[in-house]
Amino acid sequence: MDQFTLNLIFVGASFALYIGIAIWARAGSTSEFYAAGRGVHPVTNGMATAADWMSAASFISMAGLIAFTGYDNSTFLMGWTGGYVLLALLLAPYLRKFGKFTVSEFIGDRFYSPTARMVAVICLIVASLTYVIGQMTGVGVAFGRFLEISNTAGLLIGACVVFAYAVFGGMKGVTYTQVAQYCVLIMAYTIPAIFISLQLTGNPIPALGLFGDHVASGEPLLAKLDQIVRELGFNEYTAHHGDTFNMVLFTLSLMIGTAGLPHVIMRFFTVPRVADARWSAGWALVFIALLYLTAPAVGAMARLNITDLMWPNGTDAQAVSVEQIETDAKYDWMATWQKTGLLGWEDKNGDGRIQYYNDKNAEMQEKAAANGWEGNELTNFNRDILVLANPEIANLPGWVIGLVAAGGLAAALSTAAGLLLAISSAVSHDLIKGQLNPGISEKGELLSARVAMAAAIVVATYLGLNPPGFAAQTVALAFGLAAASIFPALMMGIFTKVNNKGAVAGMIAGLAVTLIYIFLHKGWLFIPDTNSFTDADPLLGTIKSTSFGAVGAMINFAVAFTVSKMTAPIPQEIEDLVESVRVPRGAAAAVDH
């Protein structure tokens, strides 16, 4: 059976499963649409949360960024994992105890202000739309390769699938679909990693194989990788080369952005009891760890395999020949990915070989001049293709490649569905029912939620065609926006006596400053070539646009506390409400229902 047919079988079977579950779990009420009837078991919710969380950025892009940068990009792992600890300890149980459907509804009630609720809706939509761009980018990459169609066609197919199970199923359908998607994506991620770890180290556990010995050379695998990348003029893989201050800010931004993302927080409204919210976060960490402990090994082993393929006889010998790339079955993956436009090479000096090295390195420039090279000839290697191409690079069986295709799409579609649900809930429940038409019927609210989600899918698909960076980089911008706007408001709502004016001023200041900083570096409204700065040469010292969320959060807190001190204190009933939310047992105004 040819590879294309295998891919169709795996992807088609997984899509049939998702749509079947959505039909079975069709939402019939607003409670089921927004919170799955508050009847989801903590283990089930933890698995659904993990799928909601492990997006195209985690599955498709993260290992690629780690592979080509090394230790410095471990910040993605530290920030995203640490954020769940914050979420479990500081937010999830208290928000569940408050007993609302959406993040915006909590902010509106806690800060006794329709304005606060509307500002929260705007913050939520901006962060969620930015996040969903990365997911649709991942959908296009995966479909483009495995179904041998264009990125545009892939995005349209993915949008239709999300529409089919998210619009009709709501949170109930999305929850059980995400459980299935987690099973698909975790198998698709770990099975190839086990194969590759066995090939390179003889150890079936990738996380342990990463620190084991390289079978072919007998050296520690990481030491071997460090040696090879050094010889090619790249930075040592295991060393820290970036700016430490920016690294700390970036990690912090990812952590508090994780704890402030509305589509993740919504999952904790679906469990029966307050204690279940905390257990859900714990189970989510367990399920996430299965992938996150594997990702560093996937990145390192893939980088080693790629360099070995480009220099099959070692870095002191001749580079791979164009003839070998065109005739050797081991290199078939290169021709396949070249068709997508995400991989490219060029024999610049006409010697019949493809030299892969860092042509920006001064020592390598001298070596290149001596050997008659004319620059790095592996001209394009999109970081987002690495995990999807990994089974082909390692020459694994065809069924593994098909499984990875299904897994990559499951990761992107599960998170896209969660984000679109958060957006539609904000529009229908917070904007239409909460502000514009409080007397709307339940049937009318459900219809408006589905229309809002359909509109959000159209916008997300359009933006996915022109992303501002690799999937993980685009997602990092969304985390910065959530960190600067939503997280401080939630923290102050639970643990402080900040008033409504302070909360509104803080959210507006945090969101505006962070959004402007991002647009200055990534282009206004992400339109190419409209930026004034780049992350290589940022506006403020070494602070990149992906790291600015932590600064935006500090501005949010500072403005909120300052304005709150200068204006009237919160009413007594709100103060009592805040106190009751934090009491371990027995709520007053905050009811555990």
Side-chain angles (χ1 to χ4, degrees):
M1 189 180 295
D2 66 275
Q3 189 59 56
F4 180 72
T5 305
L6 274 173
N7 294 341
L8 281 179
I9 290 171
F10 274 92
V11 173
S14 64
F15 281 4
L17 175 63
Y18 306 151
I19 294 171
I21 291 172
I23 294 170
W24 165 74
R26 180 184 171 90
S29 66
T30 52
S31 177
E32 288 183 339
F33 191 90
Y34 296 132
R38 300 201 196 279
V40 181
H41 191 278
V43 177
T44 304
N45 196 45
M47 194 176 292
T49 304
D52 207 352
W53 172 247
M54 289 189 296
S55 61
S58 290
F59 188 100
I60 295 175
S61 191
M62 181 175 62
L65 290 174
I66 293 172
F68 285 91
T69 302
Y71 172 82
D72 286 332
N73 270 347
S74 62
T75 46
F76 284 100
L77 295 167
M78 294 186 290
W80 285 342
T81 309
Y84 264 87
V85 178
L86 289 180
L87 193 58
L89 296 178
L90 299 179
L91 294 180
Y94 303 110
L95 292 174
R96 173 61 190 89
K97 189 171 185 179
F98 203 86
K100 298 298 180 181
F101 281 140
T102 68
V103 172
S104 307
E105 190 176 16
F106 165 79
I107 290 175
D109 286 7
R110 158 58 184 89
F111 293 109
Y112 52 99
S113 167
T115 304
R117 187 172 181 174
M118 289 305 99
V119 171
V121 168
I122 293 168
C123 294
L124 182 152
I125 290 174
V126 170
S128 297
L129 270 179
T130 306
Y131 199 153
V132 85
I133 295 171
Q135 310 317 306
M136 302 314 279
T137 302
V139 170
V141 171
F143 268 118
R145 161 60 188 95
F146 293 111
L147 298 185
E148 298 178 15
I149 56 178
S150 69
N151 278 13
T152 302
L155 280 171
L156 294 175
I157 293 173
C160 292
V161 173
V162 172
F163 183 90
Y165 72 78
V167 170
F168 297 108
M171 180 61 86
K172 186 178 178 183
V174 165
T175 295
Y176 295 105
T177 301
Q178 285 174 336
V179 171
Q181 287 169 329
Y182 175 80
C183 296
V184 171
L185 75 86
I186 201 65
M187 287 192 295
Y189 203 87
T190 54
I191 288 174
I194 290 168
F195 271 106
I196 294 168
S197 183
L198 279 169
Q199 284 180 352
L200 294 179
T201 69
N203 193 320
I205 304 174
L208 299 180
L210 178 64
F211 300 99
D213 290 340
H214 183 228
V215 171
S217 65
E219 302 175 45
L221 184 135
L222 286 173
K224 177 67 176 175
L225 180 56
D226 273 342
Q227 175 198 334
I228 289 176
V229 296
R230 240 188 351 256
E231 289 172 351
L232 295 177
F234 297 102
N235 287 330
E236 197 170 75
Y237 193 84
T238 58
H240 173 44
H241 302 282
D243 177 74
T244 302
F245 178 61
N246 182 75
M247 187 178 186
V248 170
L249 280 181
F250 183 60
T251 305
L252 180 60
S253 182
L254 292 181
M255 284 179 67
I256 62 178
T258 297
L261 279 172
H263 76 290
V264 173
I265 294 172
M266 282 180 68
R267 295 238 51 91
F268 300 105
F269 299 146
T270 66
V271 292
R273 298 177 300 119
V274 173
D276 294 334
R278 204 184 294 274
W279 277 108
S280 291
W283 279 109
L285 266 174
V286 171
F287 293 125
I288 289 167
L290 294 177
L291 188 146
Y292 275 26
L293 289 174
T294 306
V298 171
M301 292 175 186
R303 181 72 180 275
L304 188 58
N305 276 337
I306 290 165
T307 50
D308 278 345
L309 283 172
M310 300 310 295
W311 298 90
N313 300 308
T315 54
D316 291 329
Q318 295 282 352
V320 64
S321 67
V322 175
E323 182 185 2
Q324 188 171 0
I325 290 174
E326 292 174 349
T327 58
D328 191 334
K330 287 195 304 184
Y331 294 86
D332 286 349
W333 67 275
M334 293 183 67
T336 306
W337 278 100
Q338 186 186 36
K339 294 174 186 175
T340 68
L342 301 173
L343 180 71
W345 62 93
E346 178 188 354
D347 183 11
K348 296 177 181 178
N349 61 350
D351 66 350
R353 298 188 177 276
I354 302 298
Q355 285 90 23
Y356 164 59
Y357 66 100
N358 181 11
D359 52 12
K360 305 291 191 298
N361 182 290
E363 290 183 15
M364 290 304 295
Q365 287 172 353
E366 292 178 14
K367 182 176 179 180
N371 291 321
W373 302 345
E374 294 185 6
N376 175 30
E377 296 179 338
L378 186 61
T379 53
N380 180 24
F381 196 114
N382 188 294
R383 307 298 188 253
D384 287 347
I385 76 171
L386 184 130
V387 169
L388 299 176
N390 217 12
E392 298 169 277
I393 295 170
N395 202 26
L396 298 185
W399 66 267
V400 178
I401 297 169
L403 180 61
V404 169
L409 291 168
L413 295 175
S414 62
T415 303
L419 289 163
L420 293 166
L421 187 61
I423 293 169
S424 72
S425 299
V427 172
S428 62
H429 191 67
D430 295 310
L431 181 61
I432 296 176
K433 184 178 176 63
Q435 194 75 17
L436 302 178
N437 186 11
I440 191 172
S441 67
E442 185 168 292
K443 185 178 179 181
E445 188 180 350
L446 271 176
L447 178 62
S448 65
R450 285 169 173 149
V451 171
M453 188 180 289
I457 289 173
V458 172
V459 174
T461 303
Y462 172 75
L463 292 173
L465 294 172
N466 300 287
F470 300 121
Q473 292 171 327
T474 306
V475 165
L477 298 175
F479 279 77
L481 293 168
S485 58
I486 299 171
F487 175 77
L490 295 177
M491 287 294 291
M492 290 184 290
I494 295 169
F495 295 104
T496 75
K497 297 179 181 179
V498 166
N499 66 13
N500 55 351
K501 292 181 176 60
V504 169
M507 284 190 288
I508 292 173
L511 179 67
V513 171
T514 305
L515 203 54
I516 289 169
Y517 197 84
I518 288 172
F519 284 161
L520 284 170
H521 291 77
K522 296 295 183 182
W524 294 93
L525 299 177
F526 299 132
I527 297 170
D529 302 321
T530 59
N531 57 302
S532 303
F533 304 91
T534 67
D535 282 334
D537 185 22
L539 170 61
L540 296 178
T542 58
I543 304 175
K544 298 182 179 181
S545 59
T546 49
S547 309
F548 194 79
V551 179
M554 296 174 199
I555 292 170
N556 187 329
F557 279 118
V559 169
F561 280 114
T562 301
V563 172
S564 190
K565 289 289 184 184
M566 297 168 62
T567 51
I570 64 174
Q572 185 60 47
E573 63 268 20
I574 299 298
E575 189 169 334
D576 294 340
L577 178 63
V578 173
E579 290 295 330
S580 73
V581 169
R582 293 203 303 268
V583 175
R585 294 180 185 277
V591 180
D592 182 14
H593 60 189

